[in-house]
Amino acid sequence: QLQLVESGGGSVQAGGSLRLSCKTSSYVYSLAWFRQAPGKEREGVAVIYTRTGSTRYADFVKGRFTISQDSALSTKYLQMNNVKPEDSAIYICAAASEYRGPWDDAGSVEYWAQGTQVTVSS
């Protein structure tokens, strides 16, 4: 059973930066971050495809967030810059062992981490 261990998050002022990490216990085809704010649906933020390193972003984070991976391909990072109050949510890393559908569709996910709270104050 694949394990995802997520870390990072916390509180930051608008315009600041945070970095989330997600360590996988074995190889994954893709790893994405989703987020969910109170009263809102879970939405895809960014994804990285392990073998190629290619990435995709939701429009609302393009130019501000960067997803990456370490040289061992086992830890993925979400660098969040110029954060806004509307970025406040629980961020959850999620993985798939193979292609299962659009990356930003929660139904395409096989494994979920526990999630971490990100709070951005104005």
Side-chain angles (χ1 to χ4, degrees), residues 24-120:
T24 64
S25 60
S26 60
Y27 181 88
V28 296
Y29 166 75
S30 65
L31 188 134
W33 260 277
F34 287 75
R35 70 186 189 184
Q36 188 162 21
K40 294 189 176 181
E41 291 194 355
R42 190 168 294 189
E43 57 186 0
V45 176
V47 66
I48 187 165
Y49 296 94
T50 300
R51 185 180 65 82
T52 63
S54 62
T55 58
R56 302 287 187 274
Y57 296 91
D59 287 344
F60 52 79
V61 302
K62 280 181 181 177
R64 301 188 298 123
F65 292 10
T66 303
I67 191 169
S68 62
Q69 58 189 355
D70 67 358
S71 58
L73 307 182
S74 61
T75 301
K76 320 300 188 185
Y77 303 98
L78 184 68
Q79 179 66 42
M80 306 165 61
N81 295 332
N82 190 25
V83 294
K84 304 175 182 180
E86 52 264 42
D87 292 322
S88 297
I90 296 174
Y91 283 71
I92 313 156
C93 69
S97 60
E98 60 184 1
Y99 178 76
R100 293 165 56 90
W103 71 268
D104 56 350
D105 182 346
S108 300
V109 174
E110 285 184 270
Y111 306 98
W112 295 93
Q114 76 278 11
T116 188
Q117 178 70 47
V118 171
T119 302
V120 183

